[in-house]
């Protein structure tokens, strides 16, 4: 069963001059095991949308269900069920390393499992597991203070703190923001691994198109609280109008192919990765290919 | 959840009250607060109450926001009222255990309650209709005569400006940290006092770290732009008194003078 968002709207501070409608009728489903990217300009409602996924905020109108359970508990019994369902969704906020608070890495990662009522022994198991999932060596990191970690390490610890809850769905808000290219690549690799090995569904909020290229099978463009496009990245990035409307730039590979095509080169569209782009350029420049294309024409 | 803080919220607008020089607003506010304290008299309160109502109306402040500004002090107001209601000697209305509610208490309590509400609403009107930056400018300007006695007027105003500037940022940050820790199963609403205090550690530690880091960054940024205190600093927006300000002062003087004379002559 998926996370289902049914026609939700959300208004900040209703009834004041600061009233602001962040979401206007959004419907959206995260299938089990899927990797979905949500992209949009600042203020498009990305962060507001994902906070609905684990019931941190309740929609003004509409409904959010996780595995068929409505996250808005109306009575005591359904509230407990809603809480239980919301726990399946792990939420990693922007710059999560800033939320580390414990004296050691171990304690910080164990906080979630312990708060959920696990025994110290079970929690210890979860900490080990989560640390290996994000690629942190248990022995060398567990006693260190979160304050002395680098940004990338801190972020992994924070993500491990969420993974220790064994979420079925992992929601990440700008997970690669502020990381250097290597840290970014490593982190994206780890996220991909989680999805492939554990079958975890991943929702990725980002405005780095390269992250989408590297990970997502599906991308959603948000603009002023509305979904304007929901498609596979390969097709989505060809929709120049939608990209422009959402205030986004295509990934560099797509932009390059676009420019080459505009410059008169016969080149196949719909490439995504650097390798595909290289192949396409190679194909279109090799004389035999060119002749064949001309003959076909 | 933290967005509901009403006190100190500015409502942009272009009413008379909005256009008034912030210094005049502060001075007049203190004048009226003093009057409210000096003359405990229902007719004086009625006059000032209608003046306040007129100001709220012209400034187009939603009544709901005015009510919200009273919310933090709601219990104090209620307590004060009950204290007077039951604590004043006089003709009894009803008995509650050994306590007697009196008509005199009702009158006195009502008066005091009204006075408290008036004090709060008038003060809230200042912040509702004044841009926080203009407010700190005004405070600096009003305090500047005290510079001769070593009062660091500029530094105080700068501190206030910075504090005001970072309130929304810190609220946002707090909101995010609370949500993040809630997502990890932190619970802030159950348990006894001790566990609840302990439960706040995951919020307070990151919040303090962030605040210190931010303060450090800000200090660096200010130094990088050669900030070195108020000495010889000029400003982009200068406060200047206009016709509106003189009129407001005149009208206020008339009101105060009128109240003074009427009480002197024993009419009210």
């Amino acid at each position: 069963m998926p996370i289902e968002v049914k026609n939700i709207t959300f208004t900040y501070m209703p009834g004041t001059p600061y009233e602001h409608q962040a979401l206007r009728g959004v419907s959206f489903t995260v299938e089990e095991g899927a990797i979905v990217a949500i992209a949009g300009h600042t203020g498009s409602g990305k962060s507001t949308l994902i906070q609905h996924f684990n019931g941190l905020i309740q929609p003004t109108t509409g409904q959010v269900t996780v595995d068929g359970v409505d996250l808005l508990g109306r009575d005591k019994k359904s509230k407990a069920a809603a809480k239980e369902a919301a726990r399946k969704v792990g939420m990693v906020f922007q710059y999560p390393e800033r939320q580390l608070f414990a004296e050691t890495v171990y304690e910080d990662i164990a906080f979630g499992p312990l708060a959920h009522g696990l025994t110290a022994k079970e929690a210890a198991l979860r900490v080990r597991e989560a640390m290996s999932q994000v690629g942190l060596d248990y022995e060398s990191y567990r006693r260190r203070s979160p304050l002395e970690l680098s940004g990338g390490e801190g972020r992994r610890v924070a993500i491990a703190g969420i993974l220790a809850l064994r979420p079925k769905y992992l929601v990440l808000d700008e997970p690669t923001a502020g990381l250097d290219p290597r840290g970014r690549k490593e982190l994206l690799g780890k996220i991909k691994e989680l999805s492939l090995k554990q079958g975890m569904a991943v929702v990725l909020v980002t405005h780095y198109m390269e992250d989408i290229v590297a990970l997502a099978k599906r991308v959603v463009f948000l603009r002023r609280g509305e979904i304007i496009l929901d498609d596979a990245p390969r097709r989505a990035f060809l929709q120049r109008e939608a990209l422009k409307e959402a205030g986004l730039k295509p990934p560099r590979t797509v932009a390059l192919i676009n420019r080459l095509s505009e410059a008169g080169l016969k080149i196949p569209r719909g490439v995504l990765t650097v390798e595909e782009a290289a192949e396409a350029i190679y194909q279109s420049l090799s004389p035999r290919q060119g002749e064949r294309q001309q003959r076909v024409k | 959840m933290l967005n509901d803080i009403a006190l100190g919220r500015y409502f942009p607008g272009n009413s008379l009250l909005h256009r008034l020089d912030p210094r005049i607003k502060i001075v007049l506010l203190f004048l009226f607060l003093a009057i409210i304290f000096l003359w405990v008299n229902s007719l004086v309160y009625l006059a000032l109450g209608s003046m306040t109502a007129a100001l709220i109306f012209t400034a187009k402040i939603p009544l709901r926001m005015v009510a919200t500004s009273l919310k933090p002090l709601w219990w104090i107001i209620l307590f004060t009222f009950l204290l007077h209601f039951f604590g004043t000697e006089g003709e009894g209305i009803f008995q509650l255990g050994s306590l007697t509610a009196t008509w005199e208490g009702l009158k006195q309590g009502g008066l005091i309650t009204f006075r408290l509400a008036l004090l709060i609403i008038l003060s809230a009107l200042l912040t509702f209709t004044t841009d926080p930056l203009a407010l700190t400018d005004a405070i600096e300007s009003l305090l500047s005569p005290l510079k001769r006695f070593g009062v660091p007027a500029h530094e105080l105003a700068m501190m206030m400006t910075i504090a005001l500037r970072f309130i929304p940022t810190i609220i946002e940050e707090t909101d995010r940290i609370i949500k993040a820790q809630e997502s990890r199963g932190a619970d802030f609403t159950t348990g006894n006092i001790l566990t609840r205090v302990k439960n706040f550690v995951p919020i307070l530690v990151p919040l303090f770290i962030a605040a210190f880091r931010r303060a450090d960054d800000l200090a660096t940024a200010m130094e990088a732009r050669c900030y070195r205190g108020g000495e010889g600093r000029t400003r982009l927006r200068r406060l200047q008194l206009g016709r509106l300000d003189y009129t407001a002062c005149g009208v206020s003087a008339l009101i105060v003078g009128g109240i003074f004379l009427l009480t002197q002559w024993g009419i009210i």
Side-chain angles (χ1 to χ4, degrees):
Chain A
M1 293 274 267
I3 300 181
E4 275 184 286
V5 172
K6 290 170 199 156
N7 198 21
I8 60 167
T9 64
F10 186 80
T11 309
Y12 279 106
M13 305 190 73
T16 67
Y18 298 93
E19 181 175 308
H20 169 64
Q21 194 173 6
L23 296 175
R24 314 159 190 264
V26 172
S27 296
F28 173 70
T29 307
V30 183
E31 305 290 350
E32 271 178 64
I35 304 185
V36 187
I38 300 177
H41 206 249
T42 315
S44 59
K46 296 173 292 187
S47 297
T48 310
L49 175 61
I50 59 165
Q51 286 180 31
H52 284 87
F53 293 170
N54 71 341
L56 281 175
I57 50 182
Q58 300 292 350
T60 309
T61 62
Q63 190 192 32
V64 182
T65 61
V66 173
D67 292 355
V69 179
D70 190 342
L71 288 190
L72 179 70
R74 281 183 181 80
D75 52 70
K76 210 171 175 184
K77 206 176 138 200
S78 63
K79 259 194 185 120
K83 212 172 169 184
E84 202 56 48
R87 278 186 185 184
K88 294 180 192 165
V89 184
M91 183 75 68
V92 180
F93 280 87
Q94 252 180 71
Y95 298 106
E97 62 275 17
R98 293 185 188 165
Q99 285 128 33
L100 301 174
F101 68 94
E103 282 170 47
T104 64
V105 167
Y106 179 92
E107 281 173 54
D108 209 290
I109 299 174
F111 172 75
L114 292 175
H116 280 185
L118 265 65
T119 64
K121 216 172 153 187
E122 290 169 310
L125 209 70
R126 295 278 188 99
V127 175
R128 269 178 187 278
E129 178 190 288
M131 282 178 74
S132 84
Q133 282 174 340
V134 295
L136 287 174
D137 181 54
Y138 179 74
E139 286 306 325
S140 52
Y141 277 98
R142 67 186 173 113
R143 285 207 190 87
R144 291 177 67 180
S145 159
L147 289 178
E148 60 188 39
L149 300 176
S150 76
E153 291 169 330
R155 191 157 304 179
R156 288 187 196 193
V157 171
I159 294 174
I162 301 295
L163 291 175
L165 300 167
R166 290 200 183 143
K168 191 173 161 192
Y169 306 92
L170 184 65
V171 182
L172 302 128
D173 193 353
E174 301 278 5
T176 61
L179 292 185
D180 56 26
R182 210 181 76 193
R184 164 174 296 186
K185 207 174 161 191
E186 279 175 9
L187 185 59
L188 290 174
K190 290 294 171 201
I191 296 170
K192 194 161 194 172
E193 219 177 282
L194 283 170
S195 164
L196 291 177
K197 283 194 186 159
Q198 330 264 327
M200 204 178 280
V202 176
V203 179
L204 185 75
V205 170
T206 185
H207 60 252
Y208 295 99
M209 298 302 117
E210 274 68 29
D211 289 5
I212 300 175
V213 169
L215 275 188
K217 300 276 179 292
R218 185 179 143 209
V219 61
V220 173
F221 291 166
L222 269 183
R223 191 200 57 154
R224 284 196 225 135
E226 279 172 305
I227 291 181
I228 56 170
L229 191 123
D230 184 345
D231 207 341
R234 200 175 293 279
R235 286 192 295 272
F237 289 134
L238 288 178
Q239 307 284 322
R240 288 175 145 188
E241 276 305 304
L243 270 170
K244 209 174 153 191
E245 252 187 89
L248 302 168
K249 282 187 180 143
R252 276 169 289 177
T253 47
V254 176
L256 175 66
I257 300 295
N258 284 347
R259 279 180 65 184
L260 288 173
S261 164
E262 275 160 25
L265 197 68
K266 288 199 178 58
I267 197 162
R269 309 289 288 271
V271 301
L272 214 49
T273 61
V274 175
E275 288 76 19
E276 285 171 13
E279 182 63 25
I281 294 168
Y282 176 76
Q283 292 286 337
S284 62
L285 289 182
S286 75
R288 267 185 58 205
Q289 180 70 17
E291 279 165 34
R292 201 161 61 209
Q293 274 184 356
Q294 272 178 355
R295 235 180 292 140
V296 168
K297 218 177 168 187
Chain B
M1 64 200 279
L2 289 163
N3 284 334
D4 298 334
I5 296 166
L7 207 72
R9 269 234 180 246
Y10 172 53
F11 277 82
N14 197 27
S15 72
L16 288 178
L17 212 50
H18 280 94
R19 289 195 312 250
L20 209 57
D21 188 292
R23 290 171 296 178
I24 299 294
K25 266 192 267 192
I26 294 176
V27 171
L28 291 182
L29 172 67
F30 278 104
L31 178 74
F32 282 111
L33 294 187
I35 291 172
I36 293 169
F37 271 114
L38 284 177
W39 283 295
V40 185
N41 180 312
S42 45
L43 279 170
V44 172
Y45 286 177
L46 195 68
L48 293 179
S50 19
M51 183 192 80
T52 310
L55 287 176
I56 293 171
F57 182 72
T58 51
K60 296 199 180 70
I61 306 293
L63 283 179
R64 222 169 51 85
M65 288 316 291
V66 178
T68 328
S69 69
L70 287 172
K71 217 165 84 184
L73 294 165
W74 176 240
W75 286 107
I76 295 178
I77 294 173
L78 190 70
F79 180 72
T80 318
F81 176 74
L82 290 178
L83 208 65
H84 281 95
F85 193 31
F86 288 106
T88 315
E89 301 249 319
E91 191 189 335
I93 307 174
F94 62 87
Q95 199 88 21
L96 202 75
S98 59
L99 297 168
T100 316
T102 60
W103 286 111
E104 281 73 11
L106 183 65
K107 183 172 172 259
Q108 188 68 12
L111 210 62
I112 298 294
T113 307
F114 190 71
R115 165 159 98 165
L116 272 174
L118 211 55
L119 288 173
I120 298 163
I121 292 174
L122 269 178
S123 315
L125 263 182
L126 175 71
T127 52
F128 279 154
T129 60
T130 318
D131 176 8
L133 286 177
L135 207 56
T136 48
D137 279 354
I139 290 170
E140 179 176 352
S141 168
L142 288 171
L143 286 180
S144 55
L146 296 177
K147 270 184 191 160
R148 238 171 288 171
F149 309 107
V151 175
H154 170 80
E155 281 70 17
L156 284 174
M158 181 55 90
M159 274 160 62
M160 281 183 59
T161 311
I162 292 173
L164 283 170
R165 157 66 185 80
F166 281 102
I167 286 173
T169 315
I170 287 175
I171 286 178
E172 210 183 290
E173 181 106 26
T174 314
D175 196 47
R176 200 169 63 206
I177 293 172
I178 289 177
K179 280 175 174 167
Q181 309 298 26
E182 258 179 355
S183 304
R184 296 170 71 184
D187 186 358
F188 310 114
T189 46
T190 52
N192 60 33
I193 288 284
L194 207 69
T195 34
R196 278 200 211 187
V197 171
K198 231 179 95 191
N199 287 346
F200 272 101
V201 171
I203 296 173
L204 291 179
V205 171
L207 201 58
F208 272 98
I209 294 173
F212 280 116
R213 197 190 53 226
R214 198 166 278 129
D216 209 38
D217 287 352
L218 184 69
T220 311
M222 284 168 80
E223 268 175 25
R225 293 201 221 166
C226 304
Y227 176 79
R228 51 186 70 213
E231 212 59 46
R233 222 173 133 78
T234 55
R235 23 184 84 258
L236 178 64
R237 294 182 305 177
R238 284 161 104 169
L239 297 172
Q240 211 139 29
L241 296 182
R243 195 189 295 163
L244 179 68
D245 303 305
Y246 295 121
T247 317
C249 288
V251 172
S252 303
L254 279 178
I255 295 175
V256 177
I259 291 173
F260 179 73
L261 286 178
L262 289 174
T263 45
Q264 284 299 300
W265 295 336
I267 295 174
I268 54 173

